[in-house]
Structures are given as structure tokens and as C-alpha cells.
Amino acid sequence: MYKLAAAFVLLASPALATGLQIEIEGEGANGTVTVDLFEDLAPKHVEQISTLAAEGKYDGVVFHRVIDGFMAQTGDVEFGRIGGDMRRAGTGGSDRPDLPAEFSDFNYDRGVVGMARAQDPDSANSQFFIMFEPGPFLNGQYTVVGQVTDGMDVVDMIKRGDGPNGAVIGQPDVMKTVTVTE
């Protein structure tokens, strides 16, 4: 009986997810983005974002930092909710612990999804970014968690931020819902 229950828990676990489906809406982007998650490259990071997505924590979270020709960052489940104080967006994480780096030799090309972090390589938590263009200077410095497989046209339309930090002014685009796919 215990083995059966343990097997069911493993089968139901978000860690076995293979991807995310992100519904984006806003002034810039409206549509669906599909992400293939790389459990083999970053199992702890994939488990963390899959769990947060399965719990609905990413629903209603904005793209707070968007730099044209570089990337769109989102995933601040603490301070990045639509309707919140956008001045704090990008400074928070989740109620889960920060993660140790899982660096790989996978290149940061267009459509690659990586985990955002502070100066400490072991500080990634819930925030992630999607590359608009290749960023080879990130290779081996940030954990790669996946790749957009459909919807890069939607990603390309995400409302851009201003200035060198890419902070989005006014109403940012939002991840309306984020669903774990298998």
C-alpha cells in the first residue's frame, strides 16, 4: 500500500512536468507561449518553477523588466502581481528556498528561458527570463531551465521597459495563467 501511495505521489509531482503553457495578456502581447523544461539540465530549478506554476503562484505576475534586444523578465511571485506596487517588482521571490546554481554548457540563444538571480550564484528562486536575442555573456553564469517551443511571436510583442534596467512604466504585460504540461 505504501509503495503504491509513494508511486502515485511521484507520478503526480510537478517535478515530472515537461513544460509550461503561459497565457500572456496586456498592451503589448496577447497569446500563448509554450516552454519545454529541461529537467536533465536543471532538475531543482525545474521542480521549483513547476511547483510554483502548479500552485497558481505565477498567475497574475507581470513582466517587470523587459530590455529590447535582450530579454523579458517575470516571475516575482512576492511583489510582481498585477495591481501591486510595481516599484518593488523584481525584488522578491517565493516562500520556497533559494536554489543552488545548476549551470550547464547550454547556450543562451533566442527563446532560451533562464533563472534570474542576485549577485550570489545560489540565489535563484522564482524569477525567470526569456531571451529575445542570443546572450552569450550569460553562458555558464545563469541556470538554463528551458526553451520556448511555440509562441516566440507573442514573446516578441511583450511591452518593453525604459532605461538601462528595462523597468516597465505604466501597465506591464502579465502572465494571466501559467499551466504545467506533461
Side-chain angles (χ1 to χ4, degrees), residues 154-178:
V154 177
V155 172
D156 288 337
M157 299 303 297
I158 294 172
K159 182 179 179 181
R160 301 308 199 260
D162 293 324
N165 194 33
V168 177
I169 307 302
Q171 188 70 26
D173 289 354
V174 62
M175 295 188 294
K176 182 179 179 183
T177 59
V178 180

Side-chain angles (χ1 to χ4, degrees), residues 3-18 180-182:
K3 288 181 183 178
L4 180 61
F8 178 76
V9 170
L10 286 175
L11 290 174
S13 169
L16 298 177
T18 59
V180 177
T181 60
E182 301 201 16

Side-chain angles (χ1 to χ4, degrees), residues 5-179:
F8 178 76
V9 170
L10 286 175
L11 290 174
S13 169
L16 298 177
T18 59
L20 298 175
Q21 186 171 38
I22 305 170
E23 295 292 331
I24 299 173
E25 68 178 25
E27 292 177 8
N30 287 283
T32 304
V33 175
T34 303
V35 175
D36 182 24
L37 294 174
F38 299 156
E39 296 96 336
D40 55 332
L41 290 182
K44 292 176 184 168
H45 287 75
V46 168
E47 189 278 328
Q48 181 120 319
I49 64 175
S50 296
T51 298
L52 292 169
E55 293 173 352
K57 301 283 175 106
Y58 285 126
D59 298 353
V61 173
V62 302
F63 284 89
H64 64 273
R65 182 173 181 238
V66 184
I67 301 173
D68 194 38
F70 181 31
M71 59 87 215
Q73 185 171 329
T74 185
D76 183 347
V77 302
E78 185 176 6
F79 299 122
R81 293 212 173 280
I82 195 75
D85 182 353
M86 288 298 104
R87 293 173 297 186
R88 296 197 68 191
T91 63
S94 73
D95 57 1
R96 296 175 60 88
D98 288 350
L99 298 164
E102 293 178 296
F103 298 152
S104 67
D105 59 3
F106 199 91
N107 290 334
Y108 271 92
D109 293 325
R110 175 174 163 74
V112 167
V113 180
M115 291 296 286
R117 62 170 175 81
Q119 287 289 93
D120 179 356
D122 299 329
S123 62
N125 188 289
S126 65
Q127 295 186 45
F128 61 90
F129 56 91
I130 304 171
M131 301 297 292
F132 291 126
E133 301 294 335
F137 53 92
L138 299 176
N139 294 347
Q141 304 295 314
Y142 289 79
T143 299
V144 171
V145 293
Q147 171 83 43
V148 172
T149 57
D150 191 37
M152 270 309 290
D153 57 327
V154 177
V155 172
D156 288 337
M157 299 303 297
I158 294 172
K159 182 179 179 181
R160 301 308 199 260
D162 293 324
N165 194 33
V168 177
I169 307 302
Q171 188 70 26
D173 289 354
V174 62
M175 295 188 294
K176 182 179 179 183
T177 59
V178 180
T179 307

